[in-house]
Amino acid sequence: MHFYVLGSGSAGKKQLKKDQPQVKSGTPPDGKSNISSGWNTGSFPLSSHLKDPKWLKALQADFKSEYFQDIENYLKAEVAAGKQIFPPPDMVFHAFNLTPMDKVGKVTRYTKYVC
């Protein structure tokens, strides 16, 4: 899971432990830094954007974990500071919302560590 925080520069980078989702500063891969990202205080909790109850149950422990709470708190602070966050909140779990859990044979946890 990657989030892009626009306008935060190097001061906005958060050190995350290995195997955690990454928060990056800069322009998102599609380069669309001039559009509203749709984030607001109503965008939280992030789990509210996951629609499939089976995925919600499977990921419940992750949503309660310290690293996930750290990411949500960081994103809340950036939203409050007026920063744009990408992807938009309704796209964070888009792949899960498009793929019902009972259609997935096996999920392997893969985390890309970015220095």
Side-chain angles (χ1 to χ4, degrees), residues 82-95:
K83 307 279 176 61
Q84 287 186 305
I85 312 293
F86 292 91
D90 60 335
M91 298 297 288
V92 171
F93 294 110
H94 191 64

Side-chain angles (χ1 to χ4, degrees), residues 15-80:
Q15 289 288 2
L16 298 173
K17 297 175 188 173
K18 187 177 178 180
D19 298 330
Q20 289 185 356
Q22 301 296 305
V23 177
K24 296 181 176 183
S25 297
T27 305
D30 64 6
K32 296 179 181 178
S33 61
N34 61 343
I35 61 172
S36 173
S37 63
W39 287 89
N40 58 49
T41 55
S43 299
F44 299 97
L46 289 176
S47 60
S48 68
H49 300 285
L50 186 55
K51 304 304 179 201
D52 186 333
K54 291 180 182 177
W55 277 119
L56 279 168
K57 184 177 179 182
L59 297 172
Q60 186 176 23
D62 289 298
F63 293 143
K64 291 181 179 179
S65 68
E66 182 179 345
Y67 77 83
F68 199 85
Q69 295 301 311
D70 286 346
I71 289 171
E72 279 196 340
N73 291 335
Y74 175 78
L75 292 173
K76 284 178 192 176
E78 295 295 284
V79 167

